[in-house]
Amino acid sequence: MNDDKIKTAAITTLTQYMTQHKLRKTPERYAILEKVFDMNTHFSIDTLHSSLDADGYHVSRATIYNTIELLICAGLVRRHTFGNQSPQYEKIAGITKHYHLVCSRCGKVKEVKDAEVDTLLNPRRYGKFHPIYADLSIYGLCASCIRKTRSFQVKKTEDRQQPHSPKKSVGNNKSSNKNK
């Protein structure tokens, strides 16, 4: 499905959800939905707010928070909390099944697809419980943080291996006292 069809389907889903739950269909809600579906990565509320502001659409953070909660309930957005970071969000429609690699040091998140994990999870049955989706986050260090760690360790090792210059003593030098 192309982006326009995905966005149109999301608008239809939101409209149906709001009608079913007798919620107001405000232009702000639709503007936020459209901006969310323009995003291609995880985003925070602040990022979304800044993006809307940059487009000249001024809405309060409270409106954004409330609308994001509405989009989560409508099944259009998913919330993730990676480590100690503030929540990140992503649109659900139009994305393929993926998992998250999260750097424990810098917080960078990378999406990966893994057919082996899919194969393990798809046939799983949990009695009368029917899974809707799986959210898998794998924590470790990204390549950039590993490089920084290695260069720090190398520098630390080099500092230890450098010969230390002998310290000159001041005052009680026996050889200087003999010459007097």
Side-chain angles (χ1 to χ4, degrees):
M1 227 191 269
N2 68 25
D3 289 343
D4 288 337
K5 286 183 181 179
I6 292 168
K7 197 183 290 188
T8 302
I11 291 169
T12 302
T13 299
L14 179 61
T15 302
Q16 289 171 346
Y17 183 86
M18 289 189 296
T19 301
Q20 182 182 1
H21 292 87
K22 296 178 175 55
L23 299 170
R24 293 181 310 129
K25 299 169 191 77
T26 65
E28 291 83 5
R29 288 176 173 169
Y30 287 106
I32 292 168
L33 174 70
E34 287 197 33
K35 184 52 69 177
V36 164
F37 275 78
D38 287 342
M39 305 255 187
N40 292 320
T41 60
H42 297 98
F43 61 91
S44 66
I45 295 295
D46 288 337
T47 304
L48 181 57
H49 184 262
S50 297
S51 184
L52 286 161
D53 239 15
D55 288 351
Y57 207 93
H58 306 291
V59 292
S60 70
R61 278 188 173 77
T63 299
I64 295 173
Y65 274 106
N66 293 332
T67 302
I68 288 295
E69 287 303 317
L70 173 66
L71 298 178
I72 290 169
C73 291
L76 296 168
V77 170
R78 191 167 291 145
R79 176 188 4 252
H80 299 284
T81 304
F82 302 114
N84 295 328
Q85 297 179 20
S86 60
Q88 298 282 308
Y89 303 88
E90 71 179 330
K91 63 185 176 189
I92 295 174
I95 61 170
T96 57
K97 188 182 292 184
H98 63 275
Y99 307 100
H100 301 103
L101 302 179
V102 184
C103 181
S104 298
R105 182 160 299 143
C106 71
K108 180 179 175 184
V109 179
K110 181 178 179 180
E111 294 180 356
V112 293
K113 296 173 186 164
D114 190 327
E116 287 182 53
V117 173
D118 293 345
T119 303
L120 286 171
L121 293 177
N122 284 339
R124 292 287 307 185
R125 296 292 173 248
Y126 302 94
K128 294 182 181 183
F129 180 81
H130 299 281
I132 297 169
Y133 73 93
D135 185 12
L136 176 64
S137 298
I138 302 168
Y139 290 82
L141 294 177
C142 69
S144 177
C145 287
I146 289 172
R147 276 193 304 278
K148 288 177 188 173
T149 300
R150 283 186 184 149
S151 67
F152 176 75
Q153 288 172 342
V154 167
K155 184 175 176 5
K156 213 169 151 181
T157 304
E158 288 172 353
D159 288 347
R160 280 191 220 142
Q161 292 175 351
Q162 286 184 1
H164 297 286
S165 57
K167 292 183 180 177
K168 295 179 182 177
S169 61
V170 178
N172 262 352
N173 192 337
K174 293 180 182 176
S175 61
S176 63
N177 288 341
K178 287 179 182 177
N179 294 338
K180 289 185 179 178

